[in-house]
Amino acid sequence: MHISIITVLPRLIESPFGDSILKRAQNKGLAQVEIVDLRQYATGKHKPVDDYAFGGGAGMVMMIEPIEKCINDLKSKRPYDEVIYMSPDGELFTQSIANELSLKKNLILLCGHYKGVDERVREHLITREISIGDYVLSGGELAAAVVADAVIRLIPGVLSDETSALTDSFQDGLVAPPVYTRPAEYNGWKVPEVLLSGDHSKIEEWKHEKALERTKKRRPNLLK
Ligand code: SAH
């Protein structure tokens, strides 16, 4: 999978992809993350990427021209399945959207800044809009990193334990059961006996029961 992230602040988004699982995914050739500096596509002496809003009002608006040039340039190199604009009023990001996107080959994530992008970008140049939650960030970079992380870890081979993504919260409509590691007792706080029993079917049964219990309590909407 190839993910191109368009941003005016490349430095803001470089580090999440330079470590741990996301770095390994790229080293193994399973995912490629390309951070594209929008300013490269700006014209004029000061290379502006934003301008005042027509009709007035506070805040700058990202201009359509550099964005269109950038998207066209990217599209001339590979066919993109989706051109996604990160937006607080977009479709709410969920594990099922992450699953869906993990099956795609090439994605563009467009990060907004300031007041957002000229509406004509949304009308004509993008295929989808995603929000990571009902709150407003100062830019789309952190949201794009969230989406890219959730998607890349689902690509087969990225996680070392193949089953690990399948047992995460939301994958089977339940949240994950509690997990423990050594020591088996700490300050008198004990790990549930069954986990130390070595009886795998009992352990699986316990995990399912706990996941169900926790889902009922924390995310009852998943059970509907
Ligand atoms: N004026 C806009 C907010 C702009 S915030 C409004 O009120 O809707 C600046 C940029 O941050 C947006 O263009 C978007 O790319 C990004 N952003 C902010 N909150 C976000 C969220 N919850 N999910 C995804 N992207 C978000």
Side-chain angles (χ1 to χ4, degrees), residues 70-121:
C70 178
I71 291 175
N72 284 346
D73 185 34
L74 294 176
K75 280 183 171 171
S76 72
K77 294 173 197 158
R78 53 177 60 79
Y80 282 93
D81 301 296
E82 299 269 17
V83 181
I84 301 169
Y85 173 50
M86 304 312 305
S87 180
D89 61 4
E91 176 184 13
L92 270 184
F93 191 54
T94 58
Q95 190 65 27
S96 95
I97 297 177
N99 285 333
E100 187 195 326
L101 294 179
S102 73
L103 302 173
K104 312 269 183 192
K105 252 183 94 106
N106 303 309
L107 299 174
I108 289 178
L109 302 180
L110 170 63
C111 305
H113 244 275
Y114 322 112
K115 269 292 175 198
V117 297
D118 186 307
E119 188 64 19
R120 290 166 293 182
V121 169

Side-chain angles (χ1 to χ4, degrees), residues 194-205:
V194 57
L195 294 179
L196 312 173
S197 69
D199 183 336
H200 289 293
S201 72
K202 264 225 170 83
I203 293 174
E204 282 314 309
E205 208 176 293

Side-chain angles (χ1 to χ4, degrees), residues 58 60 62 85-93 110-117 122 129-144 147:
M60 304 296 276
M62 287 174 67
Y85 173 50
M86 304 312 305
S87 180
D89 61 4
E91 176 184 13
L92 270 184
F93 191 54
L110 170 63
C111 305
H113 244 275
Y114 322 112
K115 269 292 175 198
V117 297
R122 304 176 70 169
E129 303 187 318
I130 291 179
S131 165
I132 63 161
D134 285 349
Y135 40 81
V136 177
L137 303 164
S138 47
E141 288 75 14
L142 298 180
V147 169

Side-chain angles (χ1 to χ4, degrees), residues 5-18 35-38 113 141-142 145:
I5 303 177
I6 304 174
T7 169
V8 286
L9 289 169
R11 272 192 311 155
L12 235 183
I13 197 171
E14 273 157 14
S15 70
F17 302 103
I35 296 166
V36 185
D37 185 355
L38 184 63
H113 244 275
E141 288 75 14
L142 298 180

Side-chain angles (χ1 to χ4, degrees), residues 96-193:
S96 95
I97 297 177
N99 285 333
E100 187 195 326
L101 294 179
S102 73
L103 302 173
K104 312 269 183 192
K105 252 183 94 106
N106 303 309
L107 299 174
I108 289 178
L109 302 180
L110 170 63
C111 305
H113 244 275
Y114 322 112
K115 269 292 175 198
V117 297
D118 186 307
E119 188 64 19
R120 290 166 293 182
V121 169
R122 304 176 70 169
E123 285 167 359
H124 303 290
L125 304 180
I126 61 155
T127 60
R128 192 163 185 171
E129 303 187 318
I130 291 179
S131 165
I132 63 161
D134 285 349
Y135 40 81
V136 177
L137 303 164
S138 47
E141 288 75 14
L142 298 180
V146 166
V147 169
D149 184 319
V151 168
I152 290 172
R153 67 192 291 285
L154 291 173
I155 298 171
V158 168
L159 296 182
S160 35
D161 178 354
E162 288 280 5
T163 61
S164 154
L166 298 176
T167 60
D168 282 330
S169 288
F170 311 113
Q171 268 323 21
D172 51 2
L174 299 177
V175 302
V179 290
Y180 299 86
T181 185
R182 286 184 292 181
E185 184 171 342
Y186 184 77
N187 281 351
W189 301 321
K190 288 184 182 157
V191 167
E193 205 68 52

